Amino acid sequence: MMPALLLIAHGSRDPRHAATVAALVGQVRAQRPALEVATAYLDHCAPRIPQVVGRLADAVAVPLLLNRAFHAKHDIPAALRAAGSSLPLADVLGPSPLLLAALDRRLAEAGLDVGSAAVRSRTGVVLAAAGSSDPAADAATRAVAAEWRRTRGWAAAEVAYASAAGPRVPDALAALRAAGATHTAVAPYLLAPGLLPDRIAAASTDADTVADPLGPAPELAALLLQRYDRARLTAPVVPALTA
């Protein structure tokens, strides 16, 4: 019998966050109907990690996180240990070509003809992320933007942050235009609606195209399953705390 997939999300007071996680779980179940999928949250939402791990005989924990920042490096492993769990822990979602495909999807849904090389060649994109105090996480986000530009042929690509130090979205849009882009698009590099995506949208009024957050894109569901499959074969367990 295959181990369950335990999806660990951050949680938010905004009800749209939990609704998005539930929709994403639905996508995972649709792609692999025989797999048991459970959800736990670090904060704000229920159920929390201790409430879930105790009822799972065998599972792989998969963090719903884009980068290896503080939550991935410290909070989730600590929460699993505190719950007495020694479940294998999968890697975070990024970077991955599937994330780029999900970003493409959201821009297309917002009306941008991402399939046209001519459109891409005159369009500058802003990858609008939360931002992190971890320099490695911010470097990873910049690498995603660079890879997205390289593989798609965007006129330019800039990173903007909603919660950390700049650049902010208006700064990034100005940089795109200075680089020669005649069409600008903002793509939130965030998983669910909430405070930070709302802040990004409010700062994007000068953009020509503004996408929704990644949300329950089928590419994200496929990526979660990819991380699960890899971890159940190779990931180290998180040692449980002992008395």
Side-chain angles (χ1 to χ4, degrees), residues 102-119:
L103 290 166
D104 291 342
R105 173 186 292 274
R106 293 301 181 231
L107 283 178
E109 290 171 348
L112 186 66
D113 186 3
V114 297
S116 167
V119 169

Side-chain angles (χ1 to χ4, degrees), residues 4-10 20-26 28 36-42 47 49 52 56 59-65 76 93 191 220 224-225 228:
L5 188 160
L6 172 58
L7 181 66
I8 300 181
H10 180 270
T20 299
V21 172
L24 182 56
V25 167
V28 172
E36 179 185 0
V37 184
T39 305
Y41 292 91
L42 271 175
I49 290 172
V52 179
L56 294 174
V60 173
V62 183
L64 186 59
L65 298 170
I76 289 178
L93 299 180
L191 291 163
L220 256 68
L224 287 167
L225 288 167
Y228 161 85

Side-chain angles (χ1 to χ4, degrees), residues 3-241:
L5 188 160
L6 172 58
L7 181 66
I8 300 181
H10 180 270
S12 170
R13 294 184 180 90
D14 190 316
R16 294 174 294 173
H17 177 89
T20 299
V21 172
L24 182 56
V25 167
Q27 286 277 358
V28 172
R29 288 174 174 151
Q31 292 186 24
R32 196 170 297 182
L35 179 65
E36 179 185 0
V37 184
T39 305
Y41 292 91
L42 271 175
D43 203 1
H44 302 303
C45 300
R48 301 292 179 85
I49 290 172
Q51 296 173 279
V52 179
V53 296
R55 64 176 176 80
L56 294 174
D58 188 17
V60 173
V62 183
L64 186 59
L65 298 170
L66 294 171
N67 285 333
R68 282 190 55 77
F70 192 82
H71 293 315
K73 294 177 180 178
H74 302 285
D75 288 346
I76 289 178
L80 288 170
R81 286 193 296 268
S85 169
S86 57
L87 297 179
L89 180 59
D91 201 359
V92 296
L93 299 180
S96 169
L98 287 168
L99 286 175
L100 301 184
L103 290 166
D104 291 342
R105 173 186 292 274
R106 293 301 181 231
L107 283 178
E109 290 171 348
L112 186 66
D113 186 3
V114 297
S116 167
V119 169
R120 296 196 305 271
S121 69
R122 61 176 179 265
T123 299
V125 292
V126 176
L127 190 68
S132 173
S133 59
D134 186 328
D138 284 343
T141 300
R142 292 193 298 272
V144 168
E147 180 69 2
W148 198 24
R149 180 185 184 185
R150 185 189 70 80
T151 57
R152 303 308 193 260
W154 300 117
E158 296 287 338
V159 170
Y161 298 113
S163 65
R168 301 296 189 187
V169 170
D171 303 321
L173 289 170
L176 293 178
R177 295 187 182 103
T182 58
H183 187 100
T184 57
V186 176
Y189 193 53
L190 295 163
L191 291 163
L195 174 64
L196 296 184
D198 288 349
R199 187 179 295 171
I200 288 168
S204 302
T205 53
D206 287 342
D208 299 300
T209 303
V210 182
D212 287 334
L214 294 166
E219 294 86 359
L220 256 68
L223 182 53
L224 287 167
L225 288 167
Q226 188 180 94
R227 294 292 186 255
Y228 161 85
D229 287 333
R230 184 179 301 169
R232 68 186 174 87
L233 299 174
T234 63
V237 299
V238 177
L241 290 178

